[in-house]
Amino acid sequence: MAIGAQSDGRFDAIIHTGACGMSRHHNMAETFISSSGSLYAAGSFTLEVQAAYLNMMANTFMRAPGEAVGSFGLESAVDELAERLGMDPIELRIRNEPDTEPTTGRPFSSRHLVEAFRAGAERFGWSERSATPGTRREGEWLIGMGVATASHGYVRLPGGAVRVTLSAEGSLAVDVAAHEMGMGTETTTAMVAAERFGLDLDQVTVRYGDSTLPGEIIAGGAQQTAAVGAAIGAAQRNVVEELLKLAGQDSPLAGLTIEDVGCADGGLCSLDEPDRFDSYTSILARADRDELSVEAAGPPSEEMAAWCMRSYGAMFCEARVNAITGEVRVSRFLGSFDCGRILNAKTAASQLRGGIIMGLGLALTEETLFDERNGRIMNPNLSEYHVPVHLDVPDVDVIWTDIPDPHAPMGAHGVGEVAITGVGAAVANALYNATGKRVRDLPITLDKLL
């Protein structure tokens, strides 16, 4: 990892190259350069991933493939450069904020990273940070603050489809072959459907977790909400079209087209004349229909080709190092995110906090140890492979801009993976500010700080 810059901090070049090991029977290269070509403006870029095939256990991705591990090198280098230049690390990042994606020239669909940094710095108390490492101390504990940028690409994979069934009583059922891993799939799907159809949340039922239902939507790539939401939008349009046909000439909506109406208060109304309203129940009753069922797939994800679409975050860490034992404690952590519109604040906050906690494991505790003679894993269980436990995790604060992306379904970007990115570098940068020691090898254990 190398960055060349002018004396005013503007980047001339970014070089991010390296190799990853993988087995031939499980071909998964860790694309650790994923963020390096889109976060900062620079005059030139060299980005390269090489693969080394090894006779070892099959490997797979860490959460946020590429960005989680790659952001450690990039964001540590930016912090090191800020110190060399005598600049504040946040101001150096803002100075190199690009107008378009640097490596492709694509416009950003929505990017409010600077606002996230400003809001996070104020909330975290960044102005209290000492720029000189090792100057803040409480008893045996050296205290430092660090910051890093988080980023993960927007994804909406093909295969998003749903079936919606509108009943004569005005309730709606959504059938989708998505599945749940704790991120609130059912709740968010119901919220999106209720908003699209102008219904109360308790009028919507979601049936999911069954491969016989429509759609092929994986819970991966932080893309499930966008994929389901786009399909619901397509289905809603088809339902409205069918309802207008069923409404007949006696309806207040007679003569209106699908472009003229919207869904509100359990029915359809004219966008220009809201008093021209017809409820779902009355339309279906006049048509002598018990229900109306429509299946639809989301449109092609053309937005990904036209725009640079990413979720962003500003990660703030306060860490303490015991000057005698080398013990590390993260005492405070804040993630300030720009992920478009936040659909469900409760589940989004849980997702973001969970990603940060996983990032603390990457930074401080987790390491797979191999026997170099035969490739066997030497710490294959949770008594020897150390994930963060409650006492390792401080209160984690999360905030967000909540600015919708006009080019994404529902204005939302993914929140599932962005929060692990940048955490490793934020912790390492805080530990440098506390001790004056740079650690470039994860996890950061006490022997590397003593």
Side-chain angles (χ1 to χ4, degrees):
M1 181 77 232
I3 302 176
Q6 297 289 326
S7 59
D8 65 356
R10 300 189 187 278
F11 295 171
D12 284 328
I14 293 177
I15 301 172
H16 196 177
T17 64
C20 65
M22 60 188 181
S23 58
R24 290 191 180 276
H25 64 295
H26 205 213
N27 190 350
M28 302 187 80
E30 190 82 44
T31 53
F32 49 81
I33 60 173
S34 300
S35 297
S36 301
S38 61
L39 281 182
Y40 303 111
S44 65
F45 291 83
T46 297
L47 308 172
E48 183 181 57
V49 177
Q50 294 182 335
Y53 290 100
L54 305 172
N55 294 321
M56 58 184 286
M57 294 287 290
N59 60 304
T60 186
F61 293 128
M62 171 169 270
R63 193 178 191 186
E67 285 95 341
V69 292
S71 62
F72 173 64
L74 175 64
E75 293 303 306
S76 296
V78 173
D79 194 76
E80 193 163 338
L81 177 62
E83 189 214 3
R84 295 281 189 93
L85 293 170
M87 291 183 63
D88 180 86
I90 295 177
E91 292 307 314
L92 178 60
R93 288 172 168 84
I94 293 175
R95 182 159 297 187
N96 289 282
E97 179 73 4
D99 296 323
T100 59
E101 186 178 32
T103 50
T104 67
R106 289 184 303 174
F108 294 112
S109 64
S110 173
R111 179 169 169 135
H112 303 279
L113 179 56
V114 172
E115 291 94 318
F117 264 113
R118 297 292 192 209
E122 181 178 356
R123 188 176 180 107
F124 195 71
W126 182 254
S127 60
E128 299 174 8
R129 170 185 177 269
S130 172
T132 305
T135 57
R136 185 181 169 195
R137 183 165 182 160
E138 294 179 4
E140 295 181 356
W141 295 91
L142 298 165
I143 305 171
M145 291 185 186
V147 72
T149 303
S151 178
H152 189 272
Y154 165 94
V155 180
R156 183 166 68 84
L157 298 175
V162 300
R163 178 171 59 243
V164 297
T165 303
L166 187 64
S167 75
E169 293 77 29
S171 62
L172 183 77
V174 181
D175 297 329
V176 58
H179 57 284
E180 175 70 83
M181 297 195 300
M183 62 282 198
T185 298
E186 181 180 13
T187 304
T188 304
T189 299
M191 292 173 69
V192 171
E195 181 180 285
R196 286 281 190 178
F197 283 86
L199 297 169
D200 294 332
L201 191 59
D202 60 5
Q203 294 176 283
V204 179
T205 301
V206 178
R207 298 186 289 243
Y208 66 126
D210 186 336
S211 60
T212 64
L213 299 175
E216 299 172 357
I217 303 172
I218 67 166
Q223 67 93 42
Q224 190 181 71
T225 298
V228 174
I232 290 174
Q236 180 249 359
R237 184 177 177 88
N238 291 347
V239 167
V240 171
E241 194 169 28
E242 289 297 316
L243 287 172
L244 287 175
K245 294 177 183 177
L246 295 175
Q249 293 304 310
D250 295 333
S251 170
L253 306 175
L256 297 180
T257 69
I258 189 171
E259 307 299 337
D260 300 325
V261 301
C263 296
D265 300 322
L268 302 181
C269 67
S270 167
L271 296 175
D272 295 330
E273 303 173 72
D275 290 340
R276 294 182 65 181
F277 174 85
D278 206 351
S279 70
Y280 300 141
T281 55
S282 62
I283 294 174
L284 293 177
R286 291 198 305 273
D288 197 25
R289 295 282 295 270
D290 293 329
E291 63 181 31
L292 173 62
S293 187
V294 169
E295 187 172 322
S301 51
E302 297 174 351
E303 70 271 22
M304 294 172 60
W307 305 89
C308 176
M309 304 179 74
R310 303 188 70 85
S311 295
Y312 302 100
M315 314 300 271
F316 294 83
C317 176
E318 180 186 84
R320 297 169 177 249
V321 180
N322 191 292
I324 297 177
T325 67
E327 177 188 355
V328 175
R329 288 291 175 192
V330 174
S331 48
R332 288 193 297 137
F333 205 100
L334 166 68
S336 176
F337 295 97
D338 175 43
C339 301
R341 179 188 175 199
I342 299 297
L343 299 177
N344 186 325
K346 189 171 185 177
T347 54
S350 182
Q351 284 268 67
L352 296 171
R353 287 193 180 97
I356 289 170
I357 293 168
M358 294 178 75
L360 294 178
L362 174 145
L364 298 174
T365 66
E366 297 187 45
E367 182 176 19
T368 304
L369 301 174
F370 289 96
D371 186 331
E372 299 296 338
R373 299 167 299 179
N374 53 33
R376 288 186 178 276
I377 294 174
M378 296 189 294
N379 57 338
N381 58 66
L382 291 178
S383 67
E384 298 167 319
Y385 181 89
H386 296 154
V387 297
V389 297
H390 285 296
L391 286 175
D392 297 317
V393 180
D395 287 336
V396 176
D397 192 12
V398 293
I399 58 176
W400 46 70
T401 59
D402 200 21
I403 302 173
D405 182 343
H407 304 287
M410 302 91 61
H413 290 185
V415 301
E417 302 199 65
V418 64
I420 192 177
T421 70
V423 176
V427 173
N429 296 339
L431 293 176
Y432 174 78
N433 185 245
T435 66
K437 288 193 175 185
R438 288 277 179 198
V439 181
R440 298 187 179 93
D441 181 30
L442 298 179
I444 304 172
T445 48
L446 59 85
D447 56 297
K448 298 171 185 176
L449 292 170
L450 282 174

